[in-house]
Amino acid sequence: MRTDLWKGKTIVITGGSSGIGEALLESLSQIPCKIINLSRSEPELIRKISKKKEKRAAEIFHIQADLSSEKEINKAVAKLAKLADGIDVLFNNAGITAHSRFDQTQIEAFRQAFDVNFFGPVFLTMRLLPFLKKNKGAVMVTSTVSGLYGVPARSAYSSSKSALHAVMESARIELSEEGLRFIIFCPPYTKTKLRANGIDGDGQKLGESHYSGKSKTPEEVAEKMIRSVEDPNSRLVVMDKSGFFMKWMRNISPSFLEKVLYKKLYKDFH
């Protein structure tokens, strides 16, 4: 991390109460900057600071909000406007996963996935554009490798994230002349509670255990995200071989990619 680039900046993080968002909050809190967290529950770090059990260089604020609700986003932005008049970096990190076969997925599950993964970050970004334009800021969305191609047993999840990609790419081109940047970050499997808090095909809580294979820690992902913001050329960022494979094979040989996905994830949709 280049701490000099973050000093004095105003940073907004969504979903900072757990997982990758929590790791971002923890890392950036070491720097003298202003951090505003938006999430339904208050991060443990902020509770410790308020109780004077810990002290950090950053000035940190929490705004409670359900980011799938336009009404709550509007309220959160009104509160945020009292704390900052410009934003340097927006980490659109909050998200939800959805696991089920397409033919066993109810439309409600698609709506839930899109409310959290697509409409929430898109509407929040729209509402914060005046703040971002003032500081010529950067927007990073936490996506997934599953957003690079339709993954079996992830139709609702993959589609909500790939739709988000398209919006961010359009915005990047349109607003580049105003100095704004839009970065799509696709981490690999990460040790978070994403599966436990995800939804099934009926829109009910998934409650799956964490992925048992090789995975990254939230801290590793957060470090890469921060370095990606520091890189002015960042656009679509992946972290590992599986991400690079998906990124390139979707264009080079989608038929081969589908055969690999079919074999690798067969048990997920049977």
Side-chain angles (χ1 to χ4, degrees):
M1 181 195 303
R2 293 184 55 187
T3 56
D4 57 305
L5 295 179
W6 297 90
K7 287 181 179 178
K9 302 298 185 183
T10 297
I11 304 158
V12 176
I13 300 173
T14 69
S17 57
S18 65
I20 295 171
E22 184 178 33
L24 281 169
L25 183 63
E26 173 67 34
S27 182
L28 293 169
S29 69
Q30 312 289 343
I31 301 168
C33 61
K34 180 182 289 184
I35 305 174
I36 303 170
N37 172 73
L38 306 179
S39 59
R40 285 181 292 183
S41 58
E42 185 178 38
E44 178 65 23
L45 175 60
I46 297 179
R47 288 199 292 269
K48 289 180 179 179
I49 292 173
S50 63
K51 293 178 181 179
K52 298 183 179 180
K53 292 183 178 181
E54 290 194 24
K55 188 176 181 180
R56 297 300 168 94
E59 188 179 15
I60 309 175
F61 302 90
H62 170 66
I63 298 176
Q64 185 177 10
D66 177 354
L67 297 171
S68 66
S69 165
E70 290 185 20
K71 183 177 180 180
E72 292 207 21
I73 288 175
N74 281 328
K75 289 181 179 179
V77 172
K79 293 178 181 178
L80 185 149
K82 297 178 181 179
L83 300 173
D85 57 2
I87 295 173
D88 295 287
V89 182
L90 166 60
F91 286 101
N92 261 319
N93 175 71
I96 188 172
T97 192
H99 292 192
S100 62
R101 288 173 59 107
F102 174 70
D103 57 2
Q104 295 173 1
T105 304
Q106 303 301 313
I107 197 64
E108 179 56 31
F110 276 91
R111 289 194 177 102
Q112 286 187 46
F114 270 77
D115 280 343
V116 177
N117 296 338
F118 179 77
F119 290 111
V122 168
F123 186 64
L124 178 63
T125 302
M126 291 170 66
R127 293 288 284 109
L128 294 181
L129 275 179
F131 302 84
L132 289 159
K133 286 182 178 181
K134 183 171 183 179
N135 288 20
K136 296 184 178 181
V139 177
M140 172 176 279
V141 294
T142 304
S143 184
T144 170
V145 173
S146 300
L148 298 175
Y149 203 86
V151 173
R154 307 285 192 278
S155 57
Y157 184 46
S158 288
S159 58
S160 65
K161 290 295 190 178
S162 60
L164 182 62
H165 290 195
V167 173
M168 295 297 110
E169 289 163 350
S170 295
R172 180 192 299 140
I173 298 168
E174 296 166 359
L175 298 171
S176 60
E177 61 186 3
E178 297 187 52
L180 272 65
R181 298 168 55 216
F182 292 84
I183 307 165
I184 301 165
F185 190 89
C186 298
Y189 287 117
T190 307
K191 296 174 183 177
T192 69
K193 296 179 180 179
L194 186 67
R195 287 185 172 221
N197 297 326
I199 58 173
D200 61 19
D202 295 318
Q204 302 301 311
K205 191 171 183 179
L206 192 61
E208 282 190 2
S209 59
H210 172 68
Y211 174 68
S212 58
K214 186 177 180 181
S215 56
K216 299 290 185 181
T217 66
E219 291 73 23
E220 288 175 312
V221 174
E223 180 184 355
K224 178 64 174 179
M225 291 172 76
I226 290 169
R227 286 192 277 113
S228 296
V229 173
E230 294 170 353
D231 181 358
N233 296 314
S234 291
R235 284 175 171 76
L236 174 61
V237 182
V238 295
M239 283 186 68
D240 68 349
K241 292 180 180 178
S242 65
F244 283 104
F245 176 80
M246 188 85 82
K247 181 179 178 180
W248 292 109
M249 290 308 297
R250 62 179 182 159
N251 297 318
I252 297 171
S253 181
S255 61
F256 178 72
L257 173 59
E258 289 179 9
K259 290 178 182 178
V260 172
L261 292 173
Y262 181 90
K263 183 177 180 180
K264 182 177 181 180
L265 298 175
Y266 184 83
K267 291 182 179 179
D268 282 15
F269 60 100
H270 284 85

